[in-house]
Amino acid sequence: MLQGVLPEEERHFLVTLPIAGWAHAAFHYLPDSPEVAVRPSHKTKARRLATRLLRTYGISGGGMVELDGALPEGKGLASSSADLVATARAIADAIGIFLDAAAIECLLRDVEPSDGVMYPGIVSYHHREVRVREELGFLPPLTILAHDVGGMVDTIRFNRSTALPPMRVRHEYRTLLDEMSAAVRTGDLATVGRIATRSAELHVQRHPRADFAQMRRLCHEVGGLGLAIAHSGTYLGILLGEHREGEERTTAALARCAELPGEVRVFRTLGVADYPPCPLSSGTRAGAAKG
């Protein structure tokens, strides 16, 4: 919902917006195998993480990690982070250990930037450092009407950028982060929508999008809370709260978005009822992580 750079120490941060999109992992432990393999074979970061986890906990041998899920790659939906978190959970379950969110975070730190999907609910997160800043809580479920301009964004390359926004913008990000943190804690959806829109505006000033003006008009016309952009991806979405006429509004907005070139999808955010009441237990061979 918000992503930028803070004025102090040039720290990059984001505020997550968990959606009901999932990565699934299964791990088959093979004690006589010298290494870990992964399917699909291009998921090399999952293989690195699996090997590191096994060796960290003194487990010899290898195995097979099988990944699947509905999160498209290169779209800014945290597909890679979700793959890694699901892999860690699957291996932990298979070998009979418990990994909390902080332990998974440590394992990911040397693999790639991550956006905090190992934590339940909404968090502010230092994604380049792979370090949680603050757990903020939950919002009521929202609908996101998202337009994809197409193509893919290389998140690793995006996060290697050393270009910084002007200092005045970094100070604005500090204010926006403080306001967003308070708004999530109190369930202030109007403020959440306003800040998410401002974050999108600041982003497109540096990374222009042809659909931004039209999506902003459409958001106003359908009574949306605001816009949410995948800062390192290709989606721009309208945040819709729950109303009695919500389904009709979504249908009408979908028809309008169909006029734009590219794909349109509807996502649902995760609320407190979507999470288990306790940490995932050991004993199964599968793991999952939200987007």
Side-chain angles (χ1 to χ4, degrees):
M1 293 187 286
L2 171 63
Q3 183 168 327
V5 184
L6 297 174
E8 65 274 15
E9 300 179 4
E10 300 176 356
R11 298 186 79 182
H12 294 255
F13 77 94
L14 56 78
V15 176
T16 59
L17 179 61
I19 61 169
W22 306 89
H24 300 277
F27 178 66
H28 309 279
Y29 176 55
L30 302 173
D32 296 327
S33 175
E35 60 184 25
V36 174
V38 63
R39 294 178 185 154
S41 60
H42 72 277
K43 304 275 189 177
T44 56
K45 288 176 285 189
R47 184 175 66 232
R48 282 179 56 199
L49 175 69
T51 301
R52 183 180 181 192
L53 196 161
L54 290 172
R55 302 302 176 254
T56 296
Y57 286 89
I59 305 296
S60 60
M64 171 63 72
V65 176
E66 295 182 289
L67 289 161
D68 65 30
L71 292 169
E73 297 179 18
K75 300 295 184 181
L77 301 183
S79 61
S80 181
S81 292
D83 280 345
L84 295 179
V85 174
T87 296
R89 288 176 175 167
I91 294 173
D93 285 350
I95 66 177
I97 63 172
F98 171 71
L99 293 177
D100 62 12
I104 294 174
E105 182 180 65
C106 288
L107 289 165
L108 265 62
R109 193 163 290 141
D110 293 333
V111 178
E112 70 162 4
S114 179
D115 61 2
V117 300
M118 68 288 294
Y119 289 93
I122 297 168
V123 300
S124 57
Y125 204 80
H126 294 297
H127 51 289
R128 294 193 179 189
E129 304 170 34
V130 191
R131 196 176 305 277
V132 69
R133 182 181 181 88
E134 188 176 11
E135 296 184 59
L136 301 178
F138 301 86
L139 288 173
L142 303 171
T143 297
I144 309 172
L145 183 63
H147 178 238
D148 180 7
V149 293
M152 298 177 68
V153 173
D154 184 331
T155 305
I156 299 295
R157 182 177 298 175
F158 183 89
N159 280 302
R160 285 177 179 160
S161 171
T162 57
L164 293 172
M167 183 58 75
R168 61 174 177 79
V169 175
R170 280 179 267 165
H171 280 289
E172 182 176 1
Y173 278 129
R174 155 59 68 193
T175 299
L176 292 173
L177 176 57
D178 291 342
E179 292 178 345
M180 178 66 86
S181 300
V184 172
R185 291 193 201 95
T186 60
D188 183 352
L189 294 180
T191 298
V192 166
R194 173 180 61 80
I195 297 171
T197 302
R198 180 55 181 160
S199 185
E201 290 172 346
L202 291 170
H203 181 76
V204 299
Q205 287 175 10
R206 304 175 68 197
H207 307 277
R209 288 181 60 117
D211 62 342
F212 187 76
Q214 189 168 348
M215 287 290 284
R216 183 160 52 185
R217 286 196 301 270
L218 180 56
C219 178
H220 177 73
E221 291 170 5
V222 301
L225 296 166
L227 296 174
I229 196 167
H231 293 78
S232 59
T234 62
Y235 275 108
L236 174 63
I238 297 172
L239 297 172
L240 297 171
E242 289 189 337
H243 295 272
R244 286 179 298 178
E245 69 278 12
E247 187 173 336
E248 296 178 2
R249 290 197 311 156
T250 300
T251 301
L254 269 172
R256 294 289 305 278
C257 280
E259 302 169 5
L260 295 168
E263 182 187 34
V264 178
R265 289 187 62 180
V266 176
F267 297 99
R268 184 181 66 84
T269 66
L270 297 174
V272 64
D274 295 298
Y275 290 86
C278 59
L280 293 175
S281 60
S282 301
T284 69
R285 290 180 177 265
K290 65 187 181 302

